[in-house]
Amino acid sequence: MNAAPRARMRFRGPRRYAAVAVLVVLTGVFAATRVGQGASGCVEPRPVLQVAAAPDIAGVVTEVSRRLTRVAGRSGCFAVAVSARDSAEVADAVTRASARPPDVWIPESTVVLRRLGADVAGRSDPARSVATSPLVLAVAPDVAGRLGAARPSLDDLVAAAGGKTPVALRLPGRGSAATTGAVLTLQGAVAQRADARAELTGVLRTAEPDAAPAALTPAALAAGHAAAPMTEQAVWAARSVLVPLYPRRAGFVFDYPFTVLTLDGYRQQIAGLLFDALRGEAGQELVRAAGFRDVRGQAGASLTGWGTPGPVSASAPDDAALRGVDRMLDTVRRDARLLAVLDVSGSMGRAVAGLPGVTRMDLAKQAAQRGLALYPDSTEAGLWIFATDLTRSTDYRELVPVAPLAAGTDGTGNRFRLVDALTQVRPVPGGTGLYDTTLAAVRAVRQGWNPRKVNAVVLITDGANDDRHGLSRAELLTALRAGQRTGRPVPVITVALGPDSDVRALAKISAATGGASYVARDPRDVREVFLDALGQRACRPHCAAAPTR
């Protein structure tokens, strides 16, 4: 008998000392008569192959196992016990030396294996899959109706994130395949847009991370204004109460990898029989009848006229993609400690071309107000204004010190103070003390640096440095780079307004601090500017250029 090809998993990371050898059945043909030599030759009690399967596919695996043991009959010398088990529970058993993992594990995605730090023969192998199901975002019918399309897609939900009534995105635990798949699918949906980072950040800012399992059920989603990542099969099973939102481009696919954990040679042979039965035509027919797609991504009759037509192909993300997902989630969830620095020089009173009645100052104030609206109450923020010689010794003046936006014991928080201060800001005669102000702002934020927050300066200006008695550009950049090496980074996000801005100098300031530089010409662009600035933190230091507006 030919043994099935196998590959050994190597577990890395903090639990590597509890590593176990994992044998993966990739293919193999076993004859039932070779697994046992008749009832008289069986070892009693007969061995039981313990199979843990993702809850949604456990029913199919149970039925295939039942048919397999019935065909093998008394000569099979084995039994199969299938249990529906959450992947997190099995993963814990796999990585704890004191726990006994199942003989076979069928999680919902190869991502689950990769999250364990496992390297399965270098890459995921589609030959291990026993079923597939595309990831969709599930919403209630009334939510789908409000997205404004006859057949709404995931792209319509992305667009709604920028409106007045965004649809909250409920995500399970960070390490889950559903959360990973949702972020990857959203990345693909916005990839071709000029504001890709901003669009993705905008959606993820509406997310409810680590949502409770009870909030992710079809009943909970049907009763609320929210979306959650699910398999196509799960929404199909609840099709009377949920509507699937598919991406318009290829998205994430759950691939249900057949993973053999036992090192016992006899049980490995039984696992091979089960694998062949699941991959055979009869097994794949049961897969399709249950609302899954087969291993080739083909839908069966059960999905005819429902969902999205055409085959889908499964390809697991590599480790770099998974790290990118983690960085993005960390970025949008981390709180911020910001100092907004607003140019009030005389040129800020000039009109904005193409926007009758709107001055550069109006645009800057809208930028600051809209940007602040993106942050939760736990964010700390403050406000400076600058021109030249605003005080006897500086080009800048503090209007609101950095403090939480939430209301304090007096009922007034920095959110109110900032809005109030911004409404009273007016241009003043004079030039732009850009360089001295920038360095002072960075040093002020660094002085109160909080390692649990993103510490940054947001600088909005329409001009170039006019202070001939202050720092030169070279001196400023040298000081900024030296400050970044202190271990307390303070990125400077610069927003240039109008044609008189020194865009090149602002870009150099941002580059020296690991920040981002933008040109904004329309108040409607401001939301995307700030969202892109937030999302840009996830790709440092290898971000693509920010869009010019």
Side-chain angles (χ1 to χ4, degrees):
M1 179 178 63
N2 294 327
R6 298 186 294 271
R8 186 174 296 276
M9 277 189 182
R10 297 181 297 279
F11 287 91
R12 303 184 296 271
R15 293 190 281 190
R16 62 184 180 275
Y17 298 108
V20 297
V22 178
L23 301 178
V24 180
V25 174
L26 301 179
T27 183
V29 180
F30 298 86
T33 57
R34 297 299 299 276
V35 185
Q37 300 298 324
S40 61
C42 291
V43 176
E44 298 294 345
R46 300 188 181 194
V48 178
L49 186 74
Q50 298 291 339
V51 180
D56 51 353
I57 202 166
V60 173
V61 179
T62 298
E63 177 59 21
V64 172
S65 299
R66 186 185 66 81
R67 295 186 182 188
L68 174 64
T69 53
R70 185 179 62 188
V71 169
R74 295 180 60 85
S75 66
C77 295
F78 68 88
V80 179
V82 180
S83 59
R85 295 177 65 183
D86 182 81
S87 292
E89 176 192 347
V90 182
D92 182 62
V94 166
T95 55
R96 280 195 298 117
S98 60
R100 184 183 185 279
D103 299 318
V104 173
W105 181 21
I106 308 177
E108 64 272 20
S109 172
T110 302
V111 165
V112 175
L113 304 179
R114 288 196 174 278
R115 286 292 188 188
L116 290 177
D119 179 8
V120 188
R123 290 184 177 274
S124 62
D125 191 329
R128 294 187 298 113
S129 173
V130 296
T132 58
S133 190
L135 179 141
V136 298
L137 293 184
V139 297
D142 63 321
V143 175
R146 288 198 293 271
L147 290 177
R151 190 184 180 93
S153 70
L154 183 143
D155 298 63
D156 295 309
L157 182 137
V158 172
K164 295 182 179 179
T165 56
V167 180
L169 179 61
R170 294 177 184 170
L171 296 174
R174 162 178 158 160
S176 73
T179 293
T180 299
V183 175
L184 292 172
T185 300
L186 288 166
Q187 284 178 335
V190 304
Q192 303 303 317
R193 304 188 185 191
D195 302 324
R197 283 196 302 262
E199 294 282 2
L200 179 60
T201 306
V203 177
L204 294 179
R205 293 284 286 187
T206 72
E208 300 173 16
D210 303 317
L216 299 169
T217 64
L221 289 171
H225 189 76
M230 285 187 176
T231 63
E232 177 188 60
Q233 188 273 343
V235 182
W236 171 85
R239 53 193 176 278
S240 61
V241 295
L242 293 178
V243 175
L245 304 182
Y246 290 86
R248 290 176 182 164
R249 300 174 185 85
F252 181 84
V253 179
F254 296 89
D255 60 343
Y256 300 92
F258 190 94
T259 311
V260 179
L261 304 178
T262 181
L263 298 178
D264 180 82
Y266 189 61
R267 283 183 169 81
Q268 289 173 14
Q269 293 182 42
I270 302 171
L273 287 172
L274 177 58
F275 177 72
D276 290 341
L278 284 165
R279 293 271 297 196
E281 183 51 41
Q284 290 295 284
E285 181 56 37
L286 286 174
V287 163
R288 291 188 291 266
F292 294 94
R293 297 175 184 236
D294 62 23
V295 294
R296 298 169 299 168
Q298 296 283 353
S302 61
L303 290 175
T304 300
W306 187 90
T308 183
V312 295
S313 58
S315 59
D318 59 20
D319 291 341
L322 294 181
R323 288 192 296 271
V325 169
D326 290 343
R327 284 196 303 271
M328 175 56 71
L329 291 173
D330 285 342
T331 293
V332 298
R333 291 174 183 175
R334 285 180 69 191
D335 215 336
R337 183 173 176 273
L338 303 172
L339 176 58
V341 182
L342 178 60
D343 187 351
V344 294
S345 60
S347 58
M348 290 289 287
R350 295 176 185 172
V352 177
L355 295 174
V358 177
T359 66
R360 296 177 185 175
M361 179 61 74
D362 295 331
L363 182 60
K365 289 159 70 171
Q366 288 185 49
Q369 290 174 352
R370 293 185 183 212
L372 288 171
L374 298 172
Y375 294 91
D377 285 347
S378 55
T379 296
E380 297 178 24
L383 175 65
W384 286 11
I385 56 174
F386 74 102
T388 51
D389 300 323
L390 272 189
T391 73
R392 292 182 178 180
S393 58
T394 66
D395 292 332
Y396 53 89
R397 178 188 302 146
E398 179 183 81
L399 295 186
V400 181
V402 175
L405 295 178
T409 55
D410 61 353
T412 303
N414 253 27
R415 192 182 299 278
F416 171 82
R417 296 188 188 97
L418 288 165
V419 172
D420 184 59
L422 284 168
T423 59
Q424 300 180 49
V425 169
R426 300 288 184 274
V428 299
T432 305
L434 177 62
Y435 297 161
D436 283 9
T437 299
T438 298
L439 184 57
V442 168
R443 286 175 171 172
V445 172
R446 182 171 290 122
Q447 186 174 6
W449 199 83
N450 187 334
R452 294 181 299 277
K453 294 179 181 287
V454 174
N455 303 261
V457 171
V458 179
L459 191 148
I460 305 173
T461 180
D462 77 329
N465 184 64
D466 294 325
D467 187 354
R468 298 181 180 180
H469 304 292
L471 293 169
S472 67
R473 183 190 301 179
E475 290 170 333
L476 170 65
L477 296 178
T478 298
L480 290 176
R481 294 187 184 106
Q484 292 300 100
R485 293 192 291 270
T486 64
R488 295 187 170 191
V490 179
V492 179
I493 301 162
T494 58
V495 182
L497 305 174
D500 301 327
S501 301
D502 191 343
V503 175
R504 183 177 179 184
L506 295 176
K508 287 182 176 294
I509 288 170
S510 293
T513 59
S517 186
Y518 306 87
V519 179
R521 299 188 178 93
D522 189 319
R524 292 168 295 184
D525 292 334
V526 169
R527 176 181 180 276
E528 281 67 35
V529 166
F530 276 81
L531 285 174
D532 189 60
L534 292 171
Q536 191 260 358
R537 297 196 307 267
C539 56
R540 291 174 188 155
H542 304 297
C543 293
T548 297
R549 306 177 187 281

